Amino acid sequence: VRLVLSSAATGSISGIKVRVTSPSKTPTSTRWLLEGLESSTGQQLGWGEDADGFEVDQMQQSELTFAAATGVTTPLAVRFRTTEAIGGGGRVQLMKPSTMTLSCASEDIALFGLPAMVECSVNSTSFLMTLNGTLAPGEYAFTVAATTPASTPSSNIFSILLRDKYLSIQDAAMNIAGPSLLTSPKVSSPSLAVTSTTAGQASTATLSFSVLQAIAAQTIGSLIITLPTNFEHDVSAESDLAMGTLELPTATSSALTFSTVDELQLALDMTQEIPAGDYTLTFPIVVPETAPTYNIWSVAFCSSSTCSTDSALLIAPMPGFTISTTSTGSTSANALRHTSPHVTIALGLVASMFLYIFA
């Protein structure tokens, strides 16, 4: 940046602001250098250095989850927390690998906490939503239907950017490494349906997913079903968990652990393969008075009989449903998720900096 003064300056100069576009991450060197030159000769008259500079902060609590298997259809769940306020017409942009396909169809998108979407566009590397309301500082999430490629992308990187209506970046989380895609278990099309969405009432949840090809014995040892914050299951015996026509091969005894109110763990018989087909898991729940912002349910597939979601081979997320205050009938979360109350990585963060020049 070169600043030419209209007249000679002596003493100290302060209050100069330079608007910059920061890099996607903190550079190796954060030093800022400043020198004063005689305009006609270029002779150095003074110089200064800020050796510390500043760190480039990524957007907080940014994460994404999808069923990381090759060639499957899966909700891609994105979560972030911003400290910025963005007015109406702002945009949420997800940068993605070019071989992953995302859908702009309204029925394939669920918003949690975000203002309503007025426009969506997608190309080989970007998914962009335009919002009609103000984005206040806070936590947000959304899901979008994704189709994974036949192999792990060579550039397996995601980024989330928040732009204002002029497309200037206000907050972002950059260069999030995507998970490697598995060829097994090939779990596709996870979804959620409930018999009632009424706040504070009992309901029954059915989680569905497809296994596209048989999973070999000794691959999956257990499943973990995780409910969103505030939700509780109402399981008090193994018989409270029902399966569909095609059943998973469960362990011979004490297969179901249900002591944690927002989690169920189902131990499987690892000596048996899991056949290809469509599976359902049905169990009673209690609908809370209010839904969390991150209203995402999930089924995790583990390689051992006991594990945590952090060590799971694959996690299949699915968007939750809108909680109603009046009695409702049976419905799927897919049919409700676009009316969800407001229900989810940092490129050029704009910085203003004060430089003090001492002649």
Side-chain angles (χ1 to χ4, degrees):
V1 177
R2 184 180 178 89
L3 176 64
V4 179
L5 302 181
S6 59
S7 60
T10 60
S12 66
I13 302 173
S14 63
I16 298 176
K17 295 182 180 181
V18 179
R19 188 176 178 87
V20 302
T21 299
S22 67
S24 61
K25 62 180 180 179
T26 302
T28 303
S29 173
T30 59
R31 297 184 348 179
W32 289 72
L33 301 175
L34 182 69
E35 63 178 347
L37 306 175
E38 207 285 326
S39 59
S40 60
T41 65
Q43 178 186 357
Q44 186 184 79
L45 302 177
W47 67 277
E49 176 186 12
D50 181 343
D52 297 327
F54 59 89
E55 299 288 321
V56 176
D57 294 328
Q58 303 288 325
M59 191 156 54
Q60 301 173 16
Q61 298 177 16
S62 300
E63 61 183 57
L64 59 87
T65 305
F66 60 94
T70 58
V72 301
T73 299
T74 173
L76 189 160
V78 181
R79 179 184 197 177
F80 61 88
R81 178 179 291 276
T82 182
T83 58
E84 302 298 318
I86 302 173
R91 293 162 171 85
V92 178
Q93 184 174 25
L94 175 66
M95 306 301 295
K96 65 179 184 66
S98 60
T99 52
M100 172 178 277
T101 302
L102 302 184
S103 171
C104 261
S106 60
E107 64 270 20
D108 291 332
I109 299 170
L111 306 180
F112 301 95
L114 291 163
M117 180 183 71
V118 296
E119 185 179 358
C120 176
S121 62
V122 64
N123 59 35
S124 61
T125 60
S126 170
F127 171 82
L128 182 68
M129 296 186 296
T130 302
L131 308 175
N132 74 348
T134 298
L135 197 67
E139 181 186 22
Y140 299 94
F142 67 90
T143 63
V144 55
T147 301
T148 61
S151 61
T152 300
S154 56
S155 179
N156 193 18
I157 299 296
F158 296 82
S159 299
I160 300 179
L161 300 85
L162 304 185
R163 298 178 180 269
D164 62 23
K165 63 181 180 180
Y166 305 108
L167 297 182
S168 297
I169 298 167
Q170 301 301 309
D171 205 354
M174 299 299 294
N175 302 328
I176 298 176
S180 297
L181 302 185
L182 304 173
T183 55
S184 182
K186 199 180 285 285
V187 176
S188 186
S189 305
S191 64
L192 167 70
V194 294
T195 57
S196 172
T197 63
T198 305
Q201 299 299 310
S203 182
T204 299
T206 298
L207 278 58
S208 304
F209 58 88
S210 298
V211 174
L212 299 187
Q213 63 185 36
I215 302 173
Q218 307 301 327
T219 301
I220 302 298
S222 61
L223 303 184
I224 300 175
I225 300 169
T226 302
L227 284 61
T229 301
N230 298 342
F231 282 85
E232 297 182 6
H233 66 73
D234 198 21
V235 174
S236 58
E238 288 196 21
S239 58
D240 290 335
L241 178 69
M243 300 190 199
T245 303
L246 190 58
E247 296 190 356
L248 293 164
T250 57
T252 54
S253 63
S254 302
L256 185 64
T257 301
F258 47 85
S259 55
T260 304
V261 296
D262 60 353
E263 181 180 287
L264 297 171
Q265 185 156 336
L266 182 65
L268 302 183
D269 182 353
M270 295 189 69
T271 66
Q272 299 186 48
E273 75 167 17
I274 300 175
D278 298 328
Y279 291 85
T280 61
L281 298 169
T282 300
F283 53 93
I285 63 170
V286 176
V287 180
E289 295 293 335
T290 58
T293 298
Y294 192 64
N295 191 2
I296 307 297
W297 301 57
S298 68
V299 178
F301 293 74
C302 298
S303 59
S304 62
S305 58
T306 58
C307 82
S308 67
T309 53
D310 291 339
S311 59
L313 288 175
L314 178 146
I315 300 175
M318 55 207 79
F321 56 89
T322 302
I323 295 175
S324 60
T325 56
T326 57
S327 203
T328 62
S330 177
T331 188
S332 69
N334 286 355
L336 289 170
R337 60 192 186 187
H338 301 286
T339 58
S340 296
H342 300 307
V343 179
T344 6
I345 282 179
L347 174 69
L349 302 176
V350 178
S352 292
M353 189 174 189
F354 291 90
L355 302 180
Y356 297 88
I357 307 174
F358 297 92

PDB file of all heavy atoms in Angstrom, residues 173-194:
ATOM      1  N   ALA A 173     -15.229 -20.107   7.621  1.00  0.00           N
ATOM      2  CA  ALA A 173     -14.355 -21.168   8.128  1.00  0.00           C
ATOM      3  C   ALA A 173     -13.840 -21.901   6.909  1.00  0.00           C
ATOM      4  O   ALA A 173     -14.622 -22.430   6.129  1.00  0.00           O
ATOM      5  CB  ALA A 173     -15.107 -22.100   9.066  1.00  0.00           C
ATOM      6  N   MET A 174     -12.544 -21.896   6.734  1.00  0.00           N
ATOM      7  CA  MET A 174     -11.950 -22.346   5.479  1.00  0.00           C
ATOM      8  C   MET A 174     -11.181 -23.652   5.642  1.00  0.00           C
ATOM      9  O   MET A 174     -10.695 -23.989   6.713  1.00  0.00           O
ATOM     10  CB  MET A 174     -10.987 -21.278   4.950  1.00  0.00           C
ATOM     11  CG  MET A 174     -11.638 -19.940   4.652  1.00  0.00           C
ATOM     12  SD  MET A 174     -12.910 -20.031   3.384  1.00  0.00           S
ATOM     13  CE  MET A 174     -11.916 -20.468   1.965  1.00  0.00           C
ATOM     14  N   ASN A 175     -11.112 -24.350   4.526  1.00  0.00           N
ATOM     15  CA  ASN A 175     -10.219 -25.507   4.390  1.00  0.00           C
ATOM     16  C   ASN A 175     -10.481 -26.591   5.429  1.00  0.00           C
ATOM     17  O   ASN A 175      -9.574 -27.104   6.085  1.00  0.00           O
ATOM     18  CB  ASN A 175      -8.751 -25.068   4.446  1.00  0.00           C
ATOM     19  CG  ASN A 175      -8.414 -24.062   3.369  1.00  0.00           C
ATOM     20  OD1 ASN A 175      -8.981 -24.103   2.270  1.00  0.00           O
ATOM     21  ND2 ASN A 175      -7.502 -23.158   3.657  1.00  0.00           N
ATOM     22  N   ILE A 176     -11.737 -26.959   5.565  1.00  0.00           N
ATOM     23  CA  ILE A 176     -12.109 -28.074   6.440  1.00  0.00           C
ATOM     24  C   ILE A 176     -11.895 -29.376   5.669  1.00  0.00           C
ATOM     25  O   ILE A 176     -12.462 -29.576   4.594  1.00  0.00           O
ATOM     26  CB  ILE A 176     -13.569 -27.963   6.879  1.00  0.00           C
ATOM     27  CG1 ILE A 176     -13.771 -26.681   7.679  1.00  0.00           C
ATOM     28  CG2 ILE A 176     -14.002 -29.174   7.688  1.00  0.00           C
ATOM     29  CD1 ILE A 176     -15.192 -26.429   8.074  1.00  0.00           C
ATOM     30  N   ALA A 177     -11.089 -30.245   6.218  1.00  0.00           N
ATOM     31  CA  ALA A 177     -10.802 -31.515   5.546  1.00  0.00           C
ATOM     32  C   ALA A 177     -12.008 -32.439   5.628  1.00  0.00           C
ATOM     33  O   ALA A 177     -12.547 -32.677   6.707  1.00  0.00           O
ATOM     34  CB  ALA A 177      -9.580 -32.177   6.178  1.00  0.00           C
ATOM     35  N   GLY A 178     -12.461 -32.927   4.479  1.00  0.00           N
ATOM     36  CA  GLY A 178     -13.555 -33.892   4.456  1.00  0.00           C
ATOM     37  C   GLY A 178     -13.074 -35.282   4.821  1.00  0.00           C
ATOM     38  O   GLY A 178     -11.884 -35.597   4.700  1.00  0.00           O
ATOM     39  N   PRO A 179     -13.970 -36.146   5.283  1.00  0.00           N
ATOM     40  CA  PRO A 179     -13.576 -37.520   5.625  1.00  0.00           C
ATOM     41  C   PRO A 179     -13.294 -38.348   4.374  1.00  0.00           C
ATOM     42  O   PRO A 179     -13.842 -38.076   3.297  1.00  0.00           O
ATOM     43  CB  PRO A 179     -14.803 -38.051   6.367  1.00  0.00           C
ATOM     44  CG  PRO A 179     -15.949 -37.272   5.775  1.00  0.00           C
ATOM     45  CD  PRO A 179     -15.412 -35.899   5.480  1.00  0.00           C
ATOM     46  N   SER A 180     -12.439 -39.331   4.508  1.00  0.00           N
ATOM     47  CA  SER A 180     -12.228 -40.287   3.419  1.00  0.00           C
ATOM     48  C   SER A 180     -13.498 -41.104   3.236  1.00  0.00           C
ATOM     49  O   SER A 180     -14.179 -41.456   4.209  1.00  0.00           O
ATOM     50  CB  SER A 180     -11.053 -41.212   3.741  1.00  0.00           C
ATOM     51  OG  SER A 180      -9.846 -40.468   3.839  1.00  0.00           O
ATOM     52  N   LEU A 181     -13.834 -41.415   1.982  1.00  0.00           N
ATOM     53  CA  LEU A 181     -15.063 -42.147   1.702  1.00  0.00           C
ATOM     54  C   LEU A 181     -14.809 -43.651   1.756  1.00  0.00           C
ATOM     55  O   LEU A 181     -13.859 -44.158   1.158  1.00  0.00           O
ATOM     56  CB  LEU A 181     -15.600 -41.754   0.325  1.00  0.00           C
ATOM     57  CG  LEU A 181     -15.897 -40.267   0.121  1.00  0.00           C
ATOM     58  CD1 LEU A 181     -16.539 -40.030  -1.244  1.00  0.00           C
ATOM     59  CD2 LEU A 181     -16.795 -39.722   1.226  1.00  0.00           C
ATOM     60  N   LEU A 182     -15.688 -44.356   2.467  1.00  0.00           N
ATOM     61  CA  LEU A 182     -15.564 -45.799   2.625  1.00  0.00           C
ATOM     62  C   LEU A 182     -16.306 -46.529   1.509  1.00  0.00           C
ATOM     63  O   LEU A 182     -17.326 -46.060   1.009  1.00  0.00           O
ATOM     64  CB  LEU A 182     -16.154 -46.231   3.970  1.00  0.00           C
ATOM     65  CG  LEU A 182     -15.579 -45.561   5.230  1.00  0.00           C
ATOM     66  CD1 LEU A 182     -16.384 -45.979   6.453  1.00  0.00           C
ATOM     67  CD2 LEU A 182     -14.112 -45.891   5.405  1.00  0.00           C
ATOM     68  N   THR A 183     -15.806 -47.678   1.141  1.00  0.00           N
ATOM     69  CA  THR A 183     -16.542 -48.546   0.209  1.00  0.00           C
ATOM     70  C   THR A 183     -17.479 -49.475   0.971  1.00  0.00           C
ATOM     71  O   THR A 183     -18.398 -50.049   0.385  1.00  0.00           O
ATOM     72  CB  THR A 183     -15.575 -49.382  -0.636  1.00  0.00           C
ATOM     73  OG1 THR A 183     -14.698 -50.125   0.235  1.00  0.00           O
ATOM     74  CG2 THR A 183     -14.713 -48.470  -1.518  1.00  0.00           C
ATOM     75  N   SER A 184     -17.278 -49.611   2.279  1.00  0.00           N
ATOM     76  CA  SER A 184     -18.173 -50.357   3.156  1.00  0.00           C
ATOM     77  C   SER A 184     -17.965 -49.845   4.579  1.00  0.00           C
ATOM     78  O   SER A 184     -16.814 -49.617   4.985  1.00  0.00           O
ATOM     79  CB  SER A 184     -17.895 -51.852   3.074  1.00  0.00           C
ATOM     80  OG  SER A 184     -18.793 -52.583   3.886  1.00  0.00           O
ATOM     81  N   PRO A 185     -19.054 -49.600   5.303  1.00  0.00           N
ATOM     82  CA  PRO A 185     -20.456 -49.838   4.961  1.00  0.00           C
ATOM     83  C   PRO A 185     -20.986 -48.770   3.996  1.00  0.00           C
ATOM     84  O   PRO A 185     -20.706 -47.583   4.171  1.00  0.00           O
ATOM     85  CB  PRO A 185     -21.174 -49.745   6.310  1.00  0.00           C
ATOM     86  CG  PRO A 185     -20.321 -48.786   7.095  1.00  0.00           C
ATOM     87  CD  PRO A 185     -18.910 -49.074   6.686  1.00  0.00           C
ATOM     88  N   LYS A 186     -21.744 -49.203   3.003  1.00  0.00           N
ATOM     89  CA  LYS A 186     -22.325 -48.290   2.028  1.00  0.00           C
ATOM     90  C   LYS A 186     -23.765 -48.013   2.461  1.00  0.00           C
ATOM     91  O   LYS A 186     -24.707 -48.690   2.050  1.00  0.00           O
ATOM     92  CB  LYS A 186     -22.258 -48.905   0.623  1.00  0.00           C
ATOM     93  CG  LYS A 186     -22.407 -47.887  -0.497  1.00  0.00           C
ATOM     94  CD  LYS A 186     -22.343 -48.562  -1.850  1.00  0.00           C
ATOM     95  CE  LYS A 186     -20.943 -48.980  -2.227  1.00  0.00           C
ATOM     96  NZ  LYS A 186     -20.124 -47.813  -2.632  1.00  0.00           N
ATOM     97  N   VAL A 187     -23.906 -46.994   3.329  1.00  0.00           N
ATOM     98  CA  VAL A 187     -25.195 -46.635   3.920  1.00  0.00           C
ATOM     99  C   VAL A 187     -25.741 -45.407   3.192  1.00  0.00           C
ATOM    100  O   VAL A 187     -25.056 -44.396   3.049  1.00  0.00           O
ATOM    101  CB  VAL A 187     -25.053 -46.338   5.420  1.00  0.00           C
ATOM    102  CG1 VAL A 187     -26.380 -45.876   6.012  1.00  0.00           C
ATOM    103  CG2 VAL A 187     -24.537 -47.575   6.154  1.00  0.00           C
ATOM    104  N   SER A 188     -26.990 -45.493   2.734  1.00  0.00           N
ATOM    105  CA  SER A 188     -27.570 -44.436   1.918  1.00  0.00           C
ATOM    106  C   SER A 188     -28.951 -44.036   2.417  1.00  0.00           C
ATOM    107  O   SER A 188     -29.613 -44.792   3.139  1.00  0.00           O
ATOM    108  CB  SER A 188     -27.665 -44.902   0.456  1.00  0.00           C
ATOM    109  OG  SER A 188     -28.100 -43.873  -0.407  1.00  0.00           O
ATOM    110  N   SER A 189     -29.374 -42.829   2.059  1.00  0.00           N
ATOM    111  CA  SER A 189     -30.734 -42.318   2.247  1.00  0.00           C
ATOM    112  C   SER A 189     -31.255 -42.429   3.682  1.00  0.00           C
ATOM    113  O   SER A 189     -32.386 -42.883   3.909  1.00  0.00           O
ATOM    114  CB  SER A 189     -31.694 -43.051   1.300  1.00  0.00           C
ATOM    115  OG  SER A 189     -31.259 -42.948  -0.027  1.00  0.00           O
ATOM    116  N   PRO A 190     -30.481 -41.983   4.681  1.00  0.00           N
ATOM    117  CA  PRO A 190     -31.035 -41.971   6.050  1.00  0.00           C
ATOM    118  C   PRO A 190     -32.157 -40.952   6.164  1.00  0.00           C
ATOM    119  O   PRO A 190     -32.091 -39.862   5.592  1.00  0.00           O
ATOM    120  CB  PRO A 190     -29.826 -41.588   6.906  1.00  0.00           C
ATOM    121  CG  PRO A 190     -28.948 -40.802   5.983  1.00  0.00           C
ATOM    122  CD  PRO A 190     -29.124 -41.418   4.629  1.00  0.00           C
ATOM    123  N   SER A 191     -33.219 -41.301   6.890  1.00  0.00           N
ATOM    124  CA  SER A 191     -34.348 -40.389   7.049  1.00  0.00           C
ATOM    125  C   SER A 191     -35.046 -40.661   8.376  1.00  0.00           C
ATOM    126  O   SER A 191     -34.852 -41.710   8.997  1.00  0.00           O
ATOM    127  CB  SER A 191     -35.344 -40.518   5.889  1.00  0.00           C
ATOM    128  OG  SER A 191     -35.924 -41.809   5.869  1.00  0.00           O
ATOM    129  N   LEU A 192     -35.893 -39.699   8.775  1.00  0.00           N
ATOM    130  CA  LEU A 192     -36.600 -39.763  10.053  1.00  0.00           C
ATOM    131  C   LEU A 192     -38.077 -39.513   9.831  1.00  0.00           C
ATOM    132  O   LEU A 192     -38.466 -38.636   9.059  1.00  0.00           O
ATOM    133  CB  LEU A 192     -36.040 -38.689  11.001  1.00  0.00           C
ATOM    134  CG  LEU A 192     -36.838 -38.386  12.269  1.00  0.00           C
ATOM    135  CD1 LEU A 192     -36.752 -39.555  13.243  1.00  0.00           C
ATOM    136  CD2 LEU A 192     -36.332 -37.098  12.915  1.00  0.00           C
ATOM    137  N   ALA A 193     -38.923 -40.289  10.508  1.00  0.00           N
ATOM    138  CA  ALA A 193     -40.366 -40.041  10.523  1.00  0.00           C
ATOM    139  C   ALA A 193     -40.846 -40.186  11.962  1.00  0.00           C
ATOM    140  O   ALA A 193     -40.290 -40.966  12.748  1.00  0.00           O
ATOM    141  CB  ALA A 193     -41.103 -41.026   9.619  1.00  0.00           C
ATOM    142  N   VAL A 194     -41.883 -39.412  12.328  1.00  0.00           N
ATOM    143  CA  VAL A 194     -42.430 -39.466  13.682  1.00  0.00           C
ATOM    144  C   VAL A 194     -43.950 -39.527  13.612  1.00  0.00           C
ATOM    145  O   VAL A 194     -44.566 -39.088  12.636  1.00  0.00           O
ATOM    146  CB  VAL A 194     -41.993 -38.248  14.526  1.00  0.00           C
ATOM    147  CG1 VAL A 194     -40.496 -38.274  14.778  1.00  0.00           C
ATOM    148  CG2 VAL A 194     -42.399 -36.938  13.860  1.00  0.00           C
TER     149      VAL A 194
END
